[in-house]
Amino acid sequence: MHKPFFFRLLFLFFSIVAVAQAPKKPTASEIYHDLQKLNFVGSALYIAAHPDDENTRLISYLVNDVHANTAYLSITRGDGGQNLVGPELRELLGVIRTQELLEARKIDGGHQFFTRANDFGYSKNPEETFEFWTKNEVLGDVVMTIRKFRPDIIVNRFDHRSPGSTHGHHTASAMLSLEAFDMADDASKFPKSAAEYGVWKPQRLFFNTSWWFYGSQEKFEKADKSQMVSVETGNYFPALGLSNGEIASLSRSMHKSQGFGSTGSRGSETEYLELLKGNKPSDNNLFEGINTTWSRLEGGKEIGAILNPLEANFNFKNPSEMLPQLLKAYPLVANLKDTHWRKIKLKQLKQLILDCGGIFIEAVSEANSINPNENFKVTVEAVNRGNADVVLQSVKNSEDKMLWNESTVLPFNEDKKLEITVNSGVHNPKYSSPYWLNEKGSVGMYVAPEALIGLPETPALEQLTFELQFGNVTIPFTKDIIYKFNDPVKGEVYRPLEVLPEVTASIPEKVLIFANNEAETVSVIVRAGKDSISGTISLQHPEGWQVAPSQQTFQLDRNGETKTFTFTVTPPSGQSEGFLKPIVNAEGRIFDRELVTIDYEHIPYQSVLLPSEAKVAKIDIQKKGQKIGYINGAGDAIPESLKQIGYSVTTIDPSNISAENLQNFDAIVVGIRAYNTVPELAFAQPALNKYVENGGTLIVQYNTSRGLVTENLAPYELKLSRDRVTDEFSEVKILAPENPILNTPNKITQKDFEGWVQERGLYFPDEWAKEFTPILGMRDKGEKMTKGSLLVAKYGKGYYIYTGLSFFRELPAGVPGAYRLFANMLSIGK
């Protein structure tokens, strides 16, 4: 008995998630759905600030209900967010969130763009945001995207008129969109992109509003909706076996690093769009008055006459019967004068020709990575599983060089495989690593080659073009060369083929803290990116530091082989900060990059090249106590940081918390957002309080004010708020100068708050019992002082400390003052 179509579609979606690079093999219903998209000649662009800001319901509606060519422009890559799936933060988190967005778009059918803006962290208003973003550059990227994508309508996720009421990035994204809407058709504005893509005038600009922006459903119901358009986004798509809400939830659930798993919705749903610019549609059709048929294009009427009847008379039992008509339309589409739509529609049409013809083509490398200008073997596979007569004429590389041209017929359902040798050539960028990380940017901006600005990822550097002949029509099909292998559990696993350096080196510990004058050994791992490579490795170091030996030789025989070398590093006598940088000299060249791999089930395998370095800091630091228990929360590197300064840290199983099990620890530290993410803590607070009462020290780090597993976070009343100080340079006022937490064993001064990164702290309490002593006061510009960033209370014989200070950012960044203050927190009462 066959499974219901609904469940087969769910299996398809989850298969795409599990094997992110696997080729799509559509059903007849999906082929029909793609034909509908081919016959719609119109585009929509959705704009917001971060990954996970997009309204996947509306994007899915535009793609799967309207059939519009739809894209999401995320101003940033979400580098400043949290990570619920692993330890990666900042640039590496941005790589993860970029790939999560791409996986989301695979599900809802949209495209993805970015600007060069770096998500530097939370900001309270757009003015603060533009202090870090170079506004003109980001605005230019938005204008370029509009000119390149040519949307008929643009939809903003956020309101440009409400600065200060939400994340500054949010409001800034809407403000940029509003300005870009008016600039995109003016050739004098950002003339480079105007010369490359031409100018473009979108017809309408909307704000995707909802009750949330009005404060309540009741207020929204009373609001003036005369400038709003409402669209039904809860439709069910029989051709897909899913409702729009179900597709949207699958898409949104790809934002796993942010914990945005979503349950599918069924039934009627309404989205509201407030018109900001252009003329208001009269019938809730966002594209009303805009020609979205083939007749929009010069020469398109003849194409529509061929393709539109295919949709009306689609044969779900045998989609291949429309192949002759698709082939008839091909030369007409290929000769369209409108180069923009020609590119889009050729891609869609060629994929339909493959799908309807039952043709499978693939190029698989024998290795998962290669070096620049290296010869490597590729297995080419071509199978004709349809009834059409198909000839594989030739195979060419990305430089149009002929690699094979023996012109062979592809018989029905016979697997044709060829082994050819390909040279990787020299590319720009040189390596497959994320292009926006190749050069060092600023706090608020990435650097990118002009040709790649806006693209979600570095394009595949190695491709092959298959020329297939169907009767008298020859069509080129370009495929990325990929790598795949068989896993005993997962089966066929796809990975991108990557171009990587011949050798890389890394220091495993990214921050090395020297708490005294003693020398320490530092390990450097050298990794071969090819067979048989040798050279020397040395450590570049700050002035005043000493490294021995000055240089070591290495020989690595196999690609992927690693060897570890140790250097003795001696700090200077005074406090000092700087960087150690491994320098590899091999094959007459200098290599100074490290290779970081990111491997999660829900996104493709990623190789990231970063500058190879580790921060070193000689810190004047004293500490008391030794044994620390750590209760993990949403993920941070605090335990590793504490080990750096000599503490013994043990991870505590949340289900095994009891006063008896905790009694031997000098202090217990609770990880970030633990009370949001660890269900067992709903029942553990009495035991934790008892530990404090018996003389222990308990440090609870920040939690968000919503979604707590318990309201009882402390032995006394304590209420969290959304108060935060985002300016890492903001002045810190010492409120309790005599408190031991500022004096023992380290004297904390204003100097200890210098060099902090991204922010001071977040989600500070704003109400607390009289037993708590507020230690520090701080504020952002134009706001009142907050006093809840660090609270200390004596309870029984011990101390309870709650802190919203961003130690989870400062300690991994090697901020000396943060280490000294944290050591005092651990030492209190000792």
Side-chain angles (χ1 to χ4, degrees):
M1 189 173 193
H2 292 295
K3 292 181 180 180
F5 186 70
F6 171 79
F7 292 106
R8 284 189 281 124
L9 253 294
L10 280 181
F11 176 78
L12 173 67
F13 275 115
F14 288 119
S15 296
I16 290 173
V17 171
V19 191
Q21 292 291 304
K24 184 180 178 183
K25 300 166 187 175
T27 64
S29 293
E30 290 177 296
I31 290 173
Y32 173 68
H33 197 60
D34 291 340
L35 178 61
Q36 290 178 301
K37 295 176 185 177
L38 176 64
N39 283 332
F40 189 94
V41 189
S43 297
L45 180 65
Y46 199 90
I47 298 179
H50 310 106
D52 74 43
D53 281 344
E54 85 275 32
N55 184 343
T56 54
R57 283 191 306 273
L58 193 59
I59 290 176
S60 178
Y61 162 79
L62 288 165
V63 173
N64 299 301
D65 203 327
V66 178
H67 307 302
N69 187 42
T70 306
Y72 173 42
L73 171 58
S74 178
I75 302 297
T76 76
R77 296 176 184 270
D79 327 75
Q82 307 300 311
N83 186 359
L84 297 186
V85 299
E88 297 87 355
L89 291 174
R90 295 302 304 146
E91 292 87 355
L92 293 177
L93 177 58
V95 174
I96 291 173
R97 298 188 73 184
T98 293
Q99 291 300 319
E100 288 179 336
L101 266 182
L102 289 172
E103 294 305 306
R105 297 294 80 78
K106 288 178 186 177
I107 291 172
D108 59 40
H111 306 282
Q112 187 61 54
F113 297 110
F114 292 94
T115 76
R116 287 170 289 173
N118 188 339
D119 178 4
F120 55 84
Y122 190 88
S123 69
K124 294 182 176 177
N125 54 66
E127 289 74 20
E128 181 186 357
T129 297
F130 290 127
E131 289 178 8
F132 293 91
W133 293 354
T134 305
K135 182 182 177 182
N136 200 54
E137 289 185 7
V138 183
L139 179 59
D141 292 353
V142 178
V143 169
M144 182 207 69
T145 302
I146 294 172
R147 288 170 173 168
K148 183 179 181 180
F149 189 67
R150 296 191 179 186
D152 298 299
I153 65 170
I154 296 177
V155 182
N156 292 345
R157 181 55 174 147
F158 298 105
D159 190 353
H160 66 283
R161 300 158 296 195
S162 56
S165 63
T166 182
H167 196 323
H169 296 183
H170 293 170
T171 311
S173 71
M175 294 169 67
L176 290 165
S177 175
L178 196 75
E179 289 187 58
F181 184 91
D182 292 328
M183 290 183 174
D185 70 336
D186 184 346
S188 69
K189 308 294 185 184
F190 305 103
K192 279 190 177 180
S193 66
E196 184 170 0
Y197 301 108
V199 297
W200 182 251
K201 181 64 178 177
Q203 297 301 300
R204 297 183 179 110
L205 175 65
F206 295 100
F207 160 43
N208 184 194
T209 190
S210 71
W211 67 264
W212 187 88
F213 293 97
Y214 286 78
S216 69
Q217 185 68 44
E218 182 181 7
K219 289 181 180 178
F220 183 62
E221 289 174 359
K222 295 177 181 178
D224 177 13
K225 297 185 178 62
S226 61
Q227 288 301 305
M228 292 186 194
V229 176
S230 62
V231 293
E232 170 58 50
T233 60
N235 292 332
Y236 173 73
F237 307 128
L240 297 180
L242 294 167
S243 71
N244 188 68
E246 288 168 328
I247 295 173
S249 71
L250 289 170
S251 174
R252 187 149 186 80
S253 294
M254 293 314 302
H255 296 297
K256 298 184 187 303
S257 67
Q258 304 304 295
F260 277 117
S262 174
T263 300
S265 60
R266 289 151 291 279
S268 178
E269 290 181 318
T270 303
E271 289 288 338
Y272 291 90
L273 297 98
E274 179 187 349
L275 182 72
L276 301 178
K277 289 181 178 289
N279 61 312
K280 182 173 179 283
S282 60
D283 62 355
N284 292 327
N285 174 6
L286 302 181
F287 286 87
E288 187 212 18
I290 301 171
N291 186 358
T292 57
T293 69
W294 281 106
S295 65
R296 173 179 191 164
L297 309 175
E298 184 179 347
K301 189 174 181 180
E302 187 178 357
I303 298 170
I306 298 171
L307 296 180
N308 289 328
L310 299 181
E311 185 178 335
N313 303 298
F314 188 82
N315 186 341
F316 285 88
K317 291 184 177 180
N318 184 21
S320 65
E321 72 173 18
M322 70 178 184
L323 183 58
Q325 295 300 98
L326 296 177
L327 293 170
K328 182 179 178 182
Y330 174 79
L332 299 177
V333 176
N335 289 313
L336 281 171
K337 291 184 178 179
D338 188 317
T339 57
H340 171 74
W341 281 111
R342 181 174 69 203
K343 181 179 179 181
I344 293 170
K345 294 305 175 184
L346 263 182
K347 183 178 180 180
Q348 293 176 336
L349 178 59
K350 287 163 69 173
Q351 189 60 52
L352 272 173
I353 289 171
L354 289 180
D355 294 340
C356 290
I359 299 162
F360 178 85
I361 51 177
E362 189 171 72
V364 180
S365 168
E366 67 174 352
N368 65 333
S369 68
I370 55 175
N371 306 132
N373 205 27
E374 176 188 357
N375 290 331
F376 63 104
K377 291 181 180 179
V378 174
T379 298
V380 170
E381 181 179 5
V383 187
N384 176 14
R385 297 176 289 188
N387 298 319
D389 294 329
V390 184
V391 176
L392 176 59
Q393 286 190 330
S394 66
V395 179
K396 300 178 180 179
N397 67 7
S398 52
E399 282 78 41
D400 208 35
K401 178 183 177 182
M402 189 68 68
L403 302 177
W404 179 91
N405 64 342
E406 297 180 17
S407 192
T408 182
V409 173
L410 298 179
F412 172 72
N413 211 27
E414 289 188 16
D415 195 5
K416 176 74 173 178
K417 288 186 177 180
L418 311 168
E419 188 177 275
I420 59 178
T421 299
V422 179
N423 183 276
S424 60
V426 179
H427 305 282
N428 185 23
K430 191 175 184 179
Y431 302 120
S432 301
S433 180
Y435 68 86
W436 62 94
L437 300 179
N438 286 341
E439 293 185 43
K440 189 173 181 62
S442 64
V443 173
M445 296 295 296
Y446 284 120
V447 177
E450 280 191 26
L452 301 180
I453 293 173
L455 296 183
E457 60 183 342
T458 302
L461 300 184
E462 297 298 332
Q463 298 177 316
L464 291 183
T465 297
F466 298 70
E467 286 190 319
L468 298 181
Q469 181 181 340
F470 303 80
N472 61 356
V473 178
T474 300
I475 304 176
F477 296 90
T478 299
K479 292 286 184 177
D480 298 341
I481 302 177
I482 52 89
Y483 171 74
K484 67 178 181 181
F485 63 95
N486 186 73
D487 182 273
V489 175
K490 301 173 186 175
E492 189 176 49
V493 176
Y494 280 76
R495 284 185 178 177
L497 171 65
E498 297 172 312
V499 182
L500 299 173
E502 288 80 352
V503 62
T504 55
S506 64
I507 300 175
E509 299 291 342
K510 297 309 173 192
V511 176
L512 298 163
I513 304 299
F514 291 74
N516 52 48
N517 293 329
E518 294 181 9
E520 294 187 17
T521 57
V522 174
S523 297
V524 178
I525 300 173
V526 180
R527 180 190 183 278
K530 61 176 291 188
D531 291 341
S532 185
I533 187 166
S534 60
T536 62
I537 174 73
S538 59
L539 264 185
Q540 191 179 99
H541 55 82
E543 186 176 352
W545 294 68
Q546 297 178 13
V547 174
S550 61
Q551 181 176 284
Q552 300 186 57
T553 61
F554 70 88
Q555 169 71 47
L556 297 169
D557 298 322
R558 293 176 292 104
N559 186 2
E561 182 182 356
T562 63
K563 284 187 178 178
T564 301
F565 299 84
T566 58
F567 293 83
T568 300
V569 177
T570 305
S573 57
Q575 188 157 304
S576 174
E577 297 178 59
F579 289 90
L580 296 177
K581 299 183 179 183
I583 303 296
V584 178
N585 193 325
E587 299 187 341
R589 288 182 292 153
I590 299 296
F591 297 88
D592 60 358
R593 297 274 163 162
E594 73 167 301
L595 176 65
V596 180
T597 58
I598 299 174
D599 190 9
Y600 292 105
E601 289 286 333
H602 66 296
I603 59 175
Y605 184 90
Q606 298 288 300
S607 291
V608 184
L609 295 171
L610 295 173
S612 185
E613 61 184 22
K615 183 175 181 179
V616 288
K618 167 67 185 312
I619 301 177
D620 178 16
I621 187 171
Q622 304 295 322
K623 62 185 181 66
K624 296 181 180 180
Q626 180 63 30
K627 297 180 65 177
I628 308 300
Y630 204 87
I631 302 170
N632 287 324
D636 58 57
I638 298 291
E640 294 79 3
S641 299
L642 297 181
K643 291 175 184 178
Q644 284 271 339
I645 55 174
Y647 283 106
S648 172
V649 184
T650 302
T651 300
I652 296 173
D653 182 350
S655 62
N656 203 27
I657 294 174
S658 68
E660 183 180 1
N661 292 339
L662 303 180
Q663 63 183 351
N664 292 325
F665 290 107
D666 295 310
I668 302 295
V669 182
V670 182
I672 62 172
R673 294 175 63 183
Y675 287 89
N676 300 119
T677 59
V678 182
E680 292 88 344
L681 290 183
F683 314 103
Q685 200 59 43
L688 291 170
N689 291 344
K690 190 67 177 177
Y691 163 78
V692 177
E693 187 178 11
N694 291 339
T697 297
L698 176 64
I699 300 171
V700 177
Q701 297 180 85
Y702 99 92
N703 293 271
T704 61
S705 53
R706 289 186 295 179
L708 293 167
V709 298
T710 177
E711 296 292 332
N712 300 314
L713 311 181
Y716 306 114
E717 183 182 2
L718 182 73
K719 291 187 178 179
L720 305 184
S721 73
R722 296 180 63 84
D723 290 349
R724 63 198 302 162
V725 175
T726 60
D727 181 3
E728 65 268 38
F729 306 108
S730 64
E731 181 184 357
V732 176
K733 184 175 182 180
I734 293 177
L735 303 177
E738 304 304 319
N739 194 282
I741 208 167
L742 296 176
N743 294 280
T744 304
N746 304 290
K747 178 66 176 178
I748 302 301
T749 68
Q750 290 292 339
K751 188 173 179 60
D752 289 297
F753 296 99
E754 296 176 2
W756 285 49
V757 298
Q758 191 160 329
E759 61 197 351
R760 289 294 189 197
L762 60 171
Y763 291 97
F764 300 156
D766 62 350
E767 294 182 36
W768 51 82
K770 61 180 177 57
E771 286 82 1
F772 282 105
T773 299
I775 304 299
L776 304 172
M778 56 189 69
R779 64 180 179 182
D780 281 321
K781 184 170 60 177
E783 297 187 356
K784 67 178 183 179
M785 180 176 291
T786 64
K787 298 181 179 181
S789 63
L790 181 58
L791 301 173
V792 182
K794 193 83 167 65
Y795 181 69
K797 299 177 182 178
Y799 287 87
Y800 175 96
I801 300 171
Y802 188 94
T803 179
L805 293 171
S806 59
F807 287 110
F808 70 101
R809 298 195 194 279
E810 312 312 322
L811 298 192
V815 177
Y819 273 93
R820 286 163 46 83
L821 179 55
F822 210 98
N824 280 15
M825 291 160 54
L826 294 169
S827 303
I828 195 169
K830 307 295 185 296

